[in-house]
Amino acid sequence: MKIIDIKEESIKLNLSLSNSMFSFKEMTTSIVKVDIDDGKSIQTGFAFNSTGRYACGAQMRNRFIPRLLSASESDLVDDAGDIDTKKALDVMLVGEKPGGDMERSVPIGTIETALWDAISKSKKLPLYKYLSQKFPEYNSTNRMFCYVGGGYYDVGKTINDLKDEIKKNFENGYRLMKIKIGGAPIKEDIRRVEAAIEAAGSADNIALDANGGLKKDNILTYAKELKDFGLSWFEEPTHPSNFSSYKEFISNYEGSVAGGENLYSTQDYLNLIKYGGFRENKDLLQVDIPQSYGISYFNEALIELKKNNWNVNKIMPHGGNQMSLHVACGFGLSMCEAYPNVFGVFSGYDDEYQLDDGYIDLSDRPGIGFEGQNELYRLFKDIK
Ligand code: MG
């Protein structure tokens, strides 16, 4: 098996929505296509760099694609002759200095994820099943609880619009929804939370996401005002790497807290759980896999986290897409995010998937299954 070509294209998302920190108006993402020759046929794998970090084609073209295409076959394959994604990761990391991970973890992770798509297609297996063969130590499943990441601030969007958004998602079969917090004055934000709970029927059907946007002068007020609501979790109350602030927030908020989607290395995750005051059975670690070196690296991170008593059932992938859904199922993670109608063609899952009381069953379509998302697949097919 060998890699014969890798291509990237930058796509603009064209969105008006925003969270507490920034608008998605300028946001782009990299879509990637890799061709591998498995000895019998050419298999094509696809991936995109999730949403929320900009396209990164320059790093791919300048460093990571040439390293992979010029590597010898023996540097990239396992004993069975299949492409070993861990070896591909090592090849991409040649000449890279420790630290400063995000500059390279996003392009590397996106290419690595596309390789998994191509290899599992060669094996005629859906990615989650191929993952269960490669990593049999996890409890893989084809059925995953999916929650909605939504409730964004948007131009002209009212509290009633937020309630309608929540009701619509629950009517469509979702049972848990996360809304943005910290982007309005605190009194208005609390009214949004109260309205969201009313629309969802119960506080534990609602989670909050501040996207690291609470400030020194309001973060503890948010913690104290919202601690007794009984919400499912409070995500990224503070800057992703401000571990002492996480710790202070947790001791004031007491309920479940989540974070990690803007961290990019195993060392970052270990720092968050150790110095951020994360509690093993209460708080949630969120990893954006294509943005943090990809799937084989995620497995290595899980091994290190396990040594620190952190369990996969307190880990969920960031990003609502087919890539995160397969990883959640393949590694038996706690749940998966979904973005119904939020990020245009990059939203959501296979066009045929139906919610069943909050759960989605994966089909047996080989690979990640982007071929089942018509509009997104059209973009992938046209990568030149
Ligand atoms: Mg988030």
Side-chain angles (χ1 to χ4, degrees), residues 224-296:
K224 287 168 190 164
E225 290 285 336
L226 290 163
K227 64 184 280 193
D228 295 324
F229 275 66
L231 297 154
S232 200
W233 70 84
F234 198 124
E235 184 170 320
E236 286 203 310
T238 185
H239 185 282
S241 306
N242 192 341
F243 305 128
S244 59
S245 175
Y246 259 106
K247 197 170 184 176
E248 191 181 18
F249 181 85
I250 285 172
S251 66
N252 282 275
Y253 180 65
E254 296 170 19
S256 177
V257 168
E261 69 176 75
N262 289 299
L263 301 176
Y264 303 94
S265 73
T266 303
Q267 190 56 55
D268 288 339
Y269 310 140
L270 295 175
N271 285 344
L272 180 64
I273 63 171
K274 189 170 174 189
Y275 302 111
F278 268 40
R279 300 150 296 182
E280 288 151 30
N281 294 311
K282 195 157 194 177
D283 300 318
L284 293 157
L285 184 61
Q286 298 161 306
V287 178
D288 193 310
I289 289 128
Q291 288 187 13
S292 43
Y293 293 113
I295 296 170
S296 55

Side-chain angles (χ1 to χ4, degrees), residues 178 180 209 211 235-236 261 286 318 337:
K178 183 171 79 183
K180 298 299 174 187
D209 186 359
N211 293 88
E235 184 170 320
E236 286 203 310
E261 69 176 75
Q286 298 161 306
H318 168 252
E337 194 164 12

Side-chain angles (χ1 to χ4, degrees), residues 161-176:
D161 294 334
L162 173 68
K163 286 172 81 171
D164 289 344
E165 180 191 352
I166 294 167
K167 282 180 191 160
K168 199 171 151 216
N169 282 319
F170 277 66
E171 277 163 22
N172 288 339
Y174 289 102
R175 295 292 174 260
L176 173 62

Side-chain angles (χ1 to χ4, degrees), residues 64-349:
F64 309 119
I65 295 174
R67 281 177 200 160
L68 283 175
L69 294 182
S70 64
S72 67
E73 202 171 331
S74 61
D75 285 338
L76 290 172
V77 298
D78 61 18
D79 293 342
D82 296 335
I83 290 167
D84 181 332
T85 54
K86 175 72 174 63
K87 283 188 165 183
L89 173 66
D90 292 342
V91 164
M92 286 191 274
L93 283 170
V94 168
E96 298 289 325
K97 195 177 171 183
D101 292 274
M102 193 248 146
E103 185 267 340
R104 60 174 174 256
S105 66
V106 185
I108 289 177
T110 309
I111 294 170
E112 200 261 10
T113 303
L115 280 172
W116 280 97
D117 186 31
I119 302 163
S120 49
K121 280 172 181 161
S122 165
K123 300 290 172 190
K124 299 187 170 41
L125 290 171
L127 175 61
Y128 82 91
K129 261 192 196 163
Y130 184 53
L131 290 173
S132 75
Q133 288 184 2
K134 297 296 282 183
F135 307 113
E137 59 274 34
Y138 302 102
N139 295 320
S140 76
T141 170
N142 73 328
R143 186 173 168 79
M144 184 53 53
F145 183 80
C146 295
Y147 77 92
V148 178
Y152 284 80
Y153 301 97
D154 205 344
V155 181
K157 185 172 174 180
T158 65
I159 288 182
N160 276 336
D161 294 334
L162 173 68
K163 286 172 81 171
D164 289 344
E165 180 191 352
I166 294 167
K167 282 180 191 160
K168 199 171 151 216
N169 282 319
F170 277 66
E171 277 163 22
N172 288 339
Y174 289 102
R175 295 292 174 260
L176 173 62
M177 180 159 158
K178 183 171 79 183
I179 68 163
K180 298 299 174 187
I181 189 92
I186 188 163
K187 280 191 176 149
E188 187 185 329
D189 262 344
I190 288 169
R191 281 200 299 276
R192 290 174 71 255
V193 174
E194 287 166 346
I197 293 169
E198 195 192 317
S202 167
D204 56 11
N205 295 335
I206 293 290
L208 303 179
D209 186 359
N211 293 88
L214 303 184
K215 305 287 181 297
K216 246 185 178 162
D217 62 0
N218 68 13
I219 183 167
L220 295 184
T221 314
Y222 270 93
K224 287 168 190 164
E225 290 285 336
L226 290 163
K227 64 184 280 193
D228 295 324
F229 275 66
L231 297 154
S232 200
W233 70 84
F234 198 124
E235 184 170 320
E236 286 203 310
T238 185
H239 185 282
S241 306
N242 192 341
F243 305 128
S244 59
S245 175
Y246 259 106
K247 197 170 184 176
E248 191 181 18
F249 181 85
I250 285 172
S251 66
N252 282 275
Y253 180 65
E254 296 170 19
S256 177
V257 168
E261 69 176 75
N262 289 299
L263 301 176
Y264 303 94
S265 73
T266 303
Q267 190 56 55
D268 288 339
Y269 310 140
L270 295 175
N271 285 344
L272 180 64
I273 63 171
K274 189 170 174 189
Y275 302 111
F278 268 40
R279 300 150 296 182
E280 288 151 30
N281 294 311
K282 195 157 194 177
D283 300 318
L284 293 157
L285 184 61
Q286 298 161 306
V287 178
D288 193 310
I289 289 128
Q291 288 187 13
S292 43
Y293 293 113
I295 296 170
S296 55
Y297 186 90
F298 179 63
N299 174 57
E300 307 273 307
L302 289 181
I303 293 167
E304 291 306 310
L305 286 160
K306 205 173 172 197
K307 286 182 197 161
N308 287 272
N309 301 319
W310 206 267
N311 200 297
V312 290
N313 62 23
K314 286 291 167 193
I315 296 174
M316 61 167 96
H318 168 252
N321 53 59
Q322 289 274 122
M323 302 176 288
S324 50
L325 184 56
H326 273 273
V327 169
C329 284
F331 289 92
L333 306 184
S334 59
M335 63 177 97
C336 190
E337 194 164 12
Y339 298 137
N341 309 314
V342 175
F343 292 111
V345 298
F346 296 100
S347 287
Y349 307 127

